[in-house]
Structure formats: C-alpha cells, structure tokens
C-alpha cells in the first residue's frame, strides 16, 4: 500500500479577524489553549452555534446519504481489505479455534466483543466515498483517520494526502480553495473548522457521533457556568478537539491526577495553586485560575478512556464538592453524563470476562491485543489482563511477530519492547485474542497466521 503523502510548502500568511484563527499554521499541542475572543463580546454566538453554522452549509458533508452512488464500490473495497474468514469461523464456533496436534497444537480464544466499531466503519466509509466522489480534486485529511497504520496507508493509496505536522503546527497553507478536506474520526477543533470554512473548501466530516456527544456535554457545562474536567490525554486529537469547544477546562489523564486536583479544591493555598498550574500547564484553558474555576465542575471524557476510571473520577469530584460546599449545593456545583463510547465499554467488558473465567490465569499463555500503538482504546484493553496478572502483547500489525519466535509489542506503560521465544513451541499453546475498535478483522487474521507459521502450521 502507498505510504502517507506529506506536502511541505512555504507558509502563506492569511488575513484573520478576531473570530478566526490568526494563522493557517495551527499548533496541535497548543491549539486548545487559544480562545476565540469575539465569542465573549456582546451579541457574539456561542462556540456550539459557530460549529452548527459551519455544519449547516452545503459544502460541509457528514452524512453517508450524500454518497449513495459511491456506496457499492466502497463496500467492495472495504470487504476486500478488512474481511477475515478465520475470524468469521471463530464467531461461528463459539469464539474458539484450534489447529494442530501434539506440541504444534494452538488454540485461540476470542473475546466476544472486539474489533471494528460502527463509528470507525462509518468514518472509513465516508473517507473512501469522498475519494471516489471527488476523484480529480485535491484531497487532504487533517490527521490520521483512525489510529491504525494499515487503514491510514489505505487512505494514502486512495489519493488522500495527510496534512503535514511540524514543530510549529499543521501545514494548512497547502489547502486551497476548492480542495476537499476530510476531518478524522476524532474530530477537529473549532479553529480548524473555521479556518477551512474561510478557505472555501468542501469539508467531509467523519467525526464519530460519540465524540460529538461529548461536545454537547461541555456546552451544557458552559451554560451552567461550570469548568469541564476532561478525563483524557491532553495531547490526544480528540481531547484537543473537545477542549476547543469548552470555555474553561482542565484535562486529567487518570485518577491520580484527578485526586491531585481534588486535593487542591479541599486544601487551597497560593503554593498549591502555583504548583497545580505548573503541573497542568499544557492541560488547562487560557487564563485558568484554580481558585476561580474549580468551584463548579462538570465531567467529560475522551470517549476511548477506561470507563471504570472515568466513573471513579466523577464520584471523586462529586464527593469533593460535597465535602467543600455541603450536600445541599452538590447539584449546583457538579454534573456528570455518561459519554463513554458503547463500543469501547463492550470491548473492555469482553476482555474482563475473559480474564475472570475460572482458571484463565493458568490456561492462557498470553493475550494477543491487535491494534494501533497510538490507539487509546486498544491500550486500555492491555491494562485489563495486566491487572489480572496475565501476560498481554499489544501488536500494531502482523510483522511484529517474527520468524525467530520474537515479538515486538507495546507494553502497559507505552514502551516498545521485543521479547524472544514468546510462543511455547515445546507444548500446546492457548492464546487469548482481542482487538481495538479501530482494528479490521483481516489484520487480526494476519497476526494469528504468524502464530500458525511459528507452530509449523499452514496459514488459514
């Protein structure tokens, strides 16, 4: 497959007003810290209304119904690239598959929920449909469509160019009037949407509806004069996009950071304030003042985070507000809505069920987790067997499994490691299998076929 096409041209300055971003070069690491000043002026529209105004235009496409003529060809492309006969067979045989005899014998136990979710399939379908409908036009995408290397290579092979990222930001200066720009499944910031609207392009929005749901939640926080506490990773594309629709926010990546913030609320001081601002300098809104902005909070999240941790963070802040202001003020000072993606939760529940089966720790040699190394939802699947004391290997593609019986994998702490002799060859093996919501079944099959070959068996 073709690799991503990165285009580098000289920066072109662009006129801007107070409502629009001041440069075509947007810095992804700091973008969410900017404010759109005109929104705070008298008579200005809200960020939610600004987004809806852009989305209502004829050159903003977000419905698959706009691509009816392309559907048959796109369905055929996706079937050829992503279908797996082996995985289909495993579904039909109780999510278990065995091949070989004696020491060559290998058994795969497949999680009952795994792989592609509806939102990812929808995103891919929209992007490929755009490549068909607008063939001959210049097509761009603002980020990886999803966190899967094979799928992103497929985008490049179909003429979609990835907007280059530099230390200074994204090279939006390569986008010209009349071009087609695809927004990825994670969404895009309000600033990016406004820039593209000004540029006169056709925008194809593949944002997952679950992500859009979170944006509606943070708008509710704003209306209630609450600060959004976002459970996510401040550098993740989805959290950056969500933060751009907030007025005031702080991003916490886990329960430990949430406890740090909660401790400040209960025990404020000038030293503690300075330390919090230092610790969260990349994860708060511009002008964030802990003393002012942590009196009323609403919980939001990056949709791919671990649900149990999001719920624990919500309970922590609810309790904190109760302790600080009393039970009678909790409803006024705290709000939480369930915005964890259903598919994310179902995959987490399925792997939890696998590791909790009687004897699983002794029976399973390890669990193979297939998905992009940058995929947050896939990474959280690794945490579950790790917590249960079961070895798990997170591979992003089949060639991580080598002919010398070594495996290159991402561990639970995010480090890329290589382990030799990982698959037992002197006895039968039992392997648990799951995959992230952005992983096609065919990529799972390719990884399992590598294990067949190590056992001296033919491919599926």
């Amino acid at each position: 497959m073709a690799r991503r096409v990165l285009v580098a041209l000289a920066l072109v300055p662009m006129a801007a007003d107070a409502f629009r971003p001041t440069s075509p070069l947007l810095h992804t690491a700091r973008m969410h810290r900017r404010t759109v000043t005109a929104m705070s002026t008298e008579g200005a529209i809200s960020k939610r209304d600004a987004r809806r105004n852009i989305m209502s235009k004829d050159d903003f496409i977000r419905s698959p119904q706009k691509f009816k003529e392309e559907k048959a060809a796109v369905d055929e492309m996706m079937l050829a690239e992503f279908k797996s006969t082996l995985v289909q067979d495993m579904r039909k045989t109780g999510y278990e598959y065995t091949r070989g005899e004696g020491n060559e014998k290998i058994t795969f136990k497949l999680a009952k929920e795994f792989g592609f979710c509806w939102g990812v399939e929808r995103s891919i379908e929209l992007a490929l449909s755009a490549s068909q409908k607008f063939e001959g036009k210049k097509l761009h995408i603002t980020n990886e469509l999803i966190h899967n290397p094979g799928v992103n290579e497929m985008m490049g092979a179909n003429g979609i160019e990835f907007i280059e990222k530099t230390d200074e930001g994204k090279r939006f200066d390569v986008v010209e009037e009349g071009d087609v720009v695809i927004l990825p499944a994670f969404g895009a910031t309000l600033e990016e949407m406004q820039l593209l609207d000004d540029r006169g392009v056709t925008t194809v929005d593949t944002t997952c509806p679950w992500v859009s749901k979170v944006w509606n939640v943070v708008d509710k926080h704003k209306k209630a004069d609450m600060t959004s506490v976002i459970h996510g990773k401040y550098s993740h594309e989805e959290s950056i996009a969500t933060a751009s629709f907030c007025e005031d926010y702080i991003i916490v990546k886990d329960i430990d950071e949430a406890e740090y913030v909660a401790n400040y609320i209960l025990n404020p001081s000038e030293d503690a304030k300075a330390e919090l601002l230092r610790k969260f300098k990349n994860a708060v809104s511009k002008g964030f003042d802990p003393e002012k902005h942590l009196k009323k909070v609403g919980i939001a999240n990056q949709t791919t985070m671990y649900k149990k941790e999001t719920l624990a963070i919500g309970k922590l802040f609810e309790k904190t507000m109760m302790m600080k202001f009393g039970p009678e003020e909790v409803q006024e000072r705290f709000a939480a809505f369930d915005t964890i993606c259903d598919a994310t939760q179902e995959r987490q529940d399925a792997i939890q069920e696998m590791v909790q089966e009687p004897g699983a720790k002794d029976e399973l040699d390890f669990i193979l987790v297939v998905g992009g190394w940058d995929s947050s939802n896939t990474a959280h699947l690794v945490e579950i067997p790790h917590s249960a004391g079961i070895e798990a290997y997170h591979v992003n593609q089949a060639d991580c499994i080598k002919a010398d019986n070594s495996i290159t994998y991402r561990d639970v702490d995010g480090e890329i490691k290589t382990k030799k002799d990982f698959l037992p060859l002197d006895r039968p093996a039992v392997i648990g299998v799951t995959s992230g919501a952005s992983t096609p079944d065919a990529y799972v099959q390719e990884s399992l076929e590598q294990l067949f070959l190590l056992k001296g068996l033919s491919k599926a």
Side-chain angles (χ1 to χ4, degrees), residues 1 3 81 147-154 368-374 378 393-402 406-410 416 422 434-435 438-440 442-451:
M1 294 182 185
R3 292 286 178 184
E81 177 71 17
H147 283 151
N148 186 283
V151 172
N152 290 313
E153 287 175 4
M154 187 181 185
L368 185 70
V369 181
V370 185
W373 280 338
D374 292 333
T378 308
Y393 299 116
H394 176 186
V395 300
N396 70 339
Q397 49 194 11
D399 62 11
C400 289
I401 301 169
K402 307 295 185 184
S406 67
I407 187 168
T408 299
Y409 65 100
R410 182 187 187 276
I416 307 302
F422 78 101
T434 190
S435 58
S438 53
T439 307
Y443 298 0
V444 176
Q445 175 168 329
E446 290 170 2
S447 296
L448 300 187
E449 287 175 340
Q450 293 293 95
L451 299 180

Side-chain angles (χ1 to χ4, degrees), residues 185-202:
F186 315 110
T189 68
L190 178 58
E191 288 179 307
E192 288 183 343
M193 293 172 69
Q194 291 169 330
L195 184 150
L196 297 172
D197 183 44
D198 282 346
R199 195 64 58 90
V201 304
T202 296

Side-chain angles (χ1 to χ4, degrees), residues 28-29 100 258-259 353 394 398-399 412:
T28 56
E259 287 174 347
E353 180 182 337
H394 176 186
D399 62 11
V412 72

Side-chain angles (χ1 to χ4, degrees), residues 86 90 96-109 363-366 368 401 405 422-425 427-433 447-460:
L86 174 60
M90 292 174 75
E96 191 167 315
Y97 185 91
T98 299
R99 184 184 293 185
E101 300 291 339
N103 290 341
E104 292 182 346
K105 183 178 178 180
I106 187 167
T107 298
F108 295 121
K109 290 180 174 289
E363 181 187 26
L364 296 174
D365 289 291
F366 58 83
L368 185 70
I401 301 169
N405 196 19
F422 78 101
L423 180 67
L425 303 179
R427 60 175 175 80
V430 181
I431 314 300
V433 181
S447 296
L448 300 187
E449 287 175 340
Q450 293 293 95
L451 299 180
F452 285 142
L453 292 176
L454 288 177
K455 278 290 194 178
L457 302 168
S458 61
K459 291 185 176 183

Side-chain angles (χ1 to χ4, degrees), residues 351 354-355 360-369 381-394 407 409-412 417-424 427 430-434:
I351 197 70
M354 179 185 288
V355 302
K361 189 172 180 179
D362 295 326
E363 181 187 26
L364 296 174
D365 289 291
F366 58 83
I367 293 178
L368 185 70
V369 181
L381 295 178
V382 180
E383 295 172 3
I384 296 170
H386 176 79
S387 297
I390 298 175
E391 189 80 70
Y393 299 116
H394 176 186
I407 187 168
Y409 65 100
R410 182 187 187 276
D411 74 3
V412 72
K417 297 181 176 178
T418 298
K419 184 173 182 178
K420 297 180 179 179
D421 302 319
F422 78 101
L423 180 67
R427 60 175 175 80
V430 181
I431 314 300
V433 181
T434 190

